[in-house]
Structures are given as C-alpha cells and as structure tokens.
Amino acid sequence: MEKVYREIINFIVSEGKRISQRAGKIQDVGVKKQFLTEEDLKIERGLKEIIHKHNSNHGFCAEEENEQLPDAEDIWL
C-alpha cells in the first residue's frame, strides 16, 4: 500500500502545482452541476486510474462523477 500512497501523493502535488498556474482561468463545463471543470474531472480520473492500477478490485467514489458508492469491499473516497 505504501507504493500507491506515494504515487497518489506525488500525483496530487504535481497536479496542485500545475493547476495553480491556471487559477482564475478555468472554465466551468456545466455538465450535471455548476462549477464543474475539465480540471476537476482530470484529477478525479487520474486518482481513479492510479488506484485501479494497483488493485482493480478497489472501488473509487469522488464527488464529480459518482452518485452512489461502488459495490466493493475496499472503497477509496
């Protein structure tokens, strides 16, 4: 698990640095809800990809693209 945690932390730090350069210039895509941006989706999908790469049996649920919890024993929120 330490490997996946390290990869997630590195991803978050990298994305945080990248997105801070775009602050105030990110357009709302307005799909399903207000204040949803392509950046929100990119980061959420990136985290999901990392988690599933390490264990495809783990579920993933985040605010942008999930409306219910996945049916899995281990779920990342």
Side-chain angles (χ1 to χ4, degrees), residues 9-23 26 39 42-43:
I9 290 168
N10 290 339
F11 175 78
I12 295 299
V13 169
S14 173
E15 289 298 290
K17 288 178 182 176
R18 185 186 60 74
I19 200 170
S20 69
Q21 302 299 313
R22 297 197 59 213
I26 302 170
E39 293 294 345
K42 180 179 179 179
I43 291 169

Side-chain angles (χ1 to χ4, degrees), residues 41-54:
L41 297 172
K42 180 179 179 179
I43 291 169
E44 188 171 298
R45 290 170 183 169
L47 286 170
K48 185 176 183 177
E49 183 180 317
I50 291 168
I51 290 164
H52 285 159
K53 178 176 71 175
H54 288 277

Side-chain angles (χ1 to χ4, degrees), residues 26-44:
I26 302 170
Q27 191 163 2
D28 181 10
V29 294
V31 179
K32 285 194 177 184
K33 56 180 135 181
Q34 189 178 16
F35 307 118
L36 175 65
T37 70
E38 289 295 331
E39 293 294 345
D40 297 320
L41 297 172
K42 180 179 179 179
I43 291 169
E44 188 171 298

